[in-house]
Amino acid sequence: MAKSYKALKEDFVSNLAGGDISEINFVTAVAPVAVLLWSLLQSRLSFFTPYTPLAFIIDFLLNVGAILLVTTLYASAPLLLSILLLSPAALLYLLPPSLSLQKKPQVPPPRTVSAVGPDSHGSGTAPEYDQLPRKPFITNYRGGMMVITCLAILAVDFRVFPRRFAKVENWGTSLMDLGVGSFVFSAGLVAARPILKERLQNFRTPLTKRLFLSLKNSLPLFVLGLVRLYSVKGLDYAEHVSEYGVHWNFFFTLALLPPFTALCHTAFSVIPSYALLSFLLGSIYQILLESTDLKAYVLLAPRTSLLSKNREGVFSFFGYLSIFLAGQATGVHILPRDAVSVEGTSAEEKQRTSSWRSKLTATFKANRAVCLLVLWSGIWTALYQVTSSPIYGLSYSVSRRLANLPYVLWINAFNVTQILSFYLVERVAFPVGRRQTPNRSPASVTSEKERHARRSSKVLASFNRNALAIFLLANLLTGGVNLTIPTLMVGRTTAMAILASYSLVLASVAMTLDVYNIDIKL
């Protein structure tokens, strides 16, 4: 790569100021809106059952193509794209549910279930019937987050991708800044499964064993970080040094999260809330930024030592750790199965829940996930306003480079609200028979797997299943495209053709891995 072109590419992604949060919200709202249209096609017409080549094409266009359009050609009109998707969705909603989905599943007799299967929202196949079942709205949320992240890391190198969506230099908000934090939040969400598993089994893993397992899980990420470091330096690849530093990269941040989270887990006996632990960590870090020279050091210090050369990656890690813990807090609330509602219980059970207080408690238990999502969406949003508002708050600016407290709270508020939107989409499109009492019979196991498959986009589910492997592939393809094509010199049509091909390759690989039941552990 010519030196002059390398400098041009580095300038293209440097010194950017970002955009308004309201616009970012309109852009990201396209994802749940597209899933709503997908869900209504499925619930009203059983369009994706069986899953034909045409079904894959429509699935891809809705859940990948719409995201590509809203971040490029429709970047200035995200609301228009949402309306175009909502219009057929509104017509479909007027139709009666498909006959295959109208039949309410039988509610088996209550049983206490303590066995917990392997992770089903991260990587891995569906578990045996357990108290932590796969939930379609989480699958769709994580899959959608992966799609927009993978598309943005290549699209940012083309002029068709607005500069206000690219990562901000120091202060401000952007779509890609949101993507980085959301990736970490999503990882924390599924990392709550081992914690819940221990609680269900009444077991606590010793710290030494927890650290050993976390370091073992981190090793592949450290290796990937080293591979990326040496490939970028060896190929003289354009890089944005102020993003993480001279040698640091995002894979190193991801690799450090498990062992530090294991250490934080020991504080749970003192601070019995991951959300509170997240907020305290972010607050202490913010106090240090404001009361010491740390902020000036991270932003302005000369790069003379190993620490100063990588100061952004080192110190922003504490903000990302806070986000990861908030993701875990959310996972603890929404991954467990909702309790059975009063309507599905016996007459004796109804009699016991006849008082208004008992009815209220039963209603909360039956709708625990949505109640807690609404609550925490409000809490994180309020805390973000308190720290960032210049009128009635502390007037701190968001900084992804620092990963300061306003950035942490923004990421937390957005992701909890986004998960809530996917939950509501599922409830609107599939309102019948969502909750049922656990039963370990083979028929019930098969029935729950089928329900999850019917209510989850296969494209999004495949992105979710091998998320880290697909993310790695996206990085490799992005590097390949940038080394072979002068991305800044191509027109809009060519850029869109390249991005569409790239997204189709990612979706095809993800779907192939899913069809052949392949899980790539990284």
Side-chain angles (χ1 to χ4, degrees), residues 213-223 251 254-259:
L213 292 174
S214 63
L215 289 172
K216 181 181 176 182
N217 293 333
S218 295
L219 185 59
L221 291 168
F222 274 115
V223 173
F251 287 108
L254 294 177
L256 286 175
L257 286 172

Side-chain angles (χ1 to χ4, degrees), residues 443-505:
S444 294
V445 173
T446 303
S447 177
E448 182 161 57
K449 290 179 180 179
E450 289 174 351
R451 280 195 302 277
H452 178 272
R454 284 199 305 265
R455 298 175 182 186
S456 306
S457 157
K458 284 192 179 295
V459 168
L460 295 182
S462 64
F463 269 87
N464 170 55
R465 180 173 183 174
N466 286 293
L468 197 54
I470 298 301
F471 181 66
L472 176 59
L473 175 62
N475 276 270
L476 294 174
L477 291 176
T478 297
V481 169
N482 278 280
L483 289 172
T484 55
I485 298 173
T487 56
L488 298 185
M489 309 302 179
V490 303
R492 289 165 65 90
T493 304
T494 304
M496 290 303 297
I498 294 171
L499 290 171
S501 302
Y502 160 82
S503 60
L504 183 59
V505 168

Side-chain angles (χ1 to χ4, degrees), residues 204-507:
R204 186 181 179 90
T205 305
L207 176 61
T208 52
K209 183 177 180 180
R210 191 185 299 275
L211 278 174
F212 174 78
L213 292 174
S214 63
L215 289 172
K216 181 181 176 182
N217 293 333
S218 295
L219 185 59
L221 291 168
F222 274 115
V223 173
L224 290 175
L226 290 173
V227 170
R228 177 174 172 81
L229 170 63
Y230 286 111
S231 60
V232 167
K233 301 300 182 184
L235 296 172
D236 197 27
Y237 192 77
E239 56 182 328
H240 190 192
V241 173
S242 62
E243 186 177 345
Y244 293 107
V246 177
H247 309 103
W248 200 279
N249 59 61
F250 189 50
F251 287 108
F252 289 140
T253 297
L254 294 177
L256 286 175
L257 286 172
F260 274 83
T261 304
L263 291 173
C264 289
H265 190 71
T266 60
F268 194 75
S269 56
V270 180
I271 307 173
S273 167
Y274 287 103
L276 180 58
L277 193 60
S278 166
F279 181 69
L280 287 177
L281 177 61
S283 298
I284 292 171
Y285 176 50
Q286 183 67 33
I287 291 171
L288 292 174
L289 287 172
E290 298 299 327
S291 62
T292 68
D293 295 331
L294 180 59
K295 180 165 64 175
Y297 176 78
V298 175
L299 297 177
L300 303 172
R303 301 184 186 276
T304 56
S305 64
L306 184 63
L307 177 60
S308 61
K309 286 179 180 179
N310 299 283
R311 56 186 187 267
E312 293 91 348
V314 171
F315 291 103
S316 68
F317 171 77
F318 296 102
Y320 288 119
L321 178 59
S322 180
I323 293 171
F324 189 87
L325 291 171
Q328 279 192 318
T330 305
V332 166
H333 293 317
I334 67 173
L335 290 181
R337 183 186 304 279
D338 285 344
V340 67
S341 60
V342 176
E343 289 78 6
T345 58
S346 64
E348 181 184 350
E349 189 70 23
K350 286 183 180 180
Q351 190 174 2
R352 285 204 304 266
T353 58
S354 58
S355 71
W356 68 268
R357 186 174 299 176
S358 298
K359 285 182 179 179
L360 184 63
T361 302
T363 301
F364 171 77
K365 288 181 178 180
N367 297 276
R368 184 174 182 272
V370 67
C371 291
L372 290 171
L373 285 172
V374 170
L375 174 65
W376 281 104
S377 174
I379 291 174
W380 291 126
T381 301
L383 288 173
Y384 169 73
Q385 293 295 333
V386 167
T387 58
S388 63
S389 174
I391 300 174
Y392 48 83
L394 300 175
S395 194
Y396 293 145
S397 298
V398 173
S399 174
R400 178 209 43 82
R401 186 177 179 184
L402 295 170
N404 60 356
L405 181 61
Y407 176 74
V408 169
L409 296 174
W410 173 46
I411 297 300
N412 296 348
F414 169 82
N415 279 275
V416 174
T417 306
Q418 189 80 337
I419 295 170
L420 174 61
S421 68
F422 279 101
Y423 181 94
L424 295 176
V425 163
E426 183 186 341
R427 292 295 293 269
V428 167
F430 304 98
V432 177
R434 189 182 176 279
R435 297 184 301 273
Q436 57 180 320
T437 308
N439 183 308
R440 299 181 67 181
S441 68
S444 294
V445 173
T446 303
S447 177
E448 182 161 57
K449 290 179 180 179
E450 289 174 351
R451 280 195 302 277
H452 178 272
R454 284 199 305 265
R455 298 175 182 186
S456 306
S457 157
K458 284 192 179 295
V459 168
L460 295 182
S462 64
F463 269 87
N464 170 55
R465 180 173 183 174
N466 286 293
L468 197 54
I470 298 301
F471 181 66
L472 176 59
L473 175 62
N475 276 270
L476 294 174
L477 291 176
T478 297
V481 169
N482 278 280
L483 289 172
T484 55
I485 298 173
T487 56
L488 298 185
M489 309 302 179
V490 303
R492 289 165 65 90
T493 304
T494 304
M496 290 303 297
I498 294 171
L499 290 171
S501 302
Y502 160 82
S503 60
L504 183 59
V505 168
L506 288 178

Side-chain angles (χ1 to χ4, degrees), residues 115-128:
V116 180
D119 185 4
S120 58
H121 282 300
S123 59
T125 56
E128 275 249 309

Side-chain angles (χ1 to χ4, degrees), residues 65-144:
I67 300 300
L68 177 58
L69 286 175
V70 79
T71 54
T72 52
L73 301 181
Y74 278 82
S76 298
L79 187 58
L80 174 60
L81 183 57
S82 290
I83 292 172
L84 293 175
L85 293 169
L86 283 172
S87 299
L91 295 176
L92 286 167
Y93 184 74
L94 299 176
L95 298 176
S98 171
L99 290 176
S100 62
L101 297 173
Q102 281 191 59
K103 186 178 179 182
K104 190 170 182 177
Q106 294 182 347
V107 180
R111 296 190 186 181
T112 301
V113 182
S114 59
V116 180
D119 185 4
S120 58
H121 282 300
S123 59
T125 56
E128 275 249 309
Y129 210 88
D130 57 48
Q131 289 282 34
L132 307 176
R134 292 189 298 175
K135 296 186 177 182
F137 72 94
I138 299 180
T139 298
N140 290 330
Y141 153 73
R142 279 177 48 84

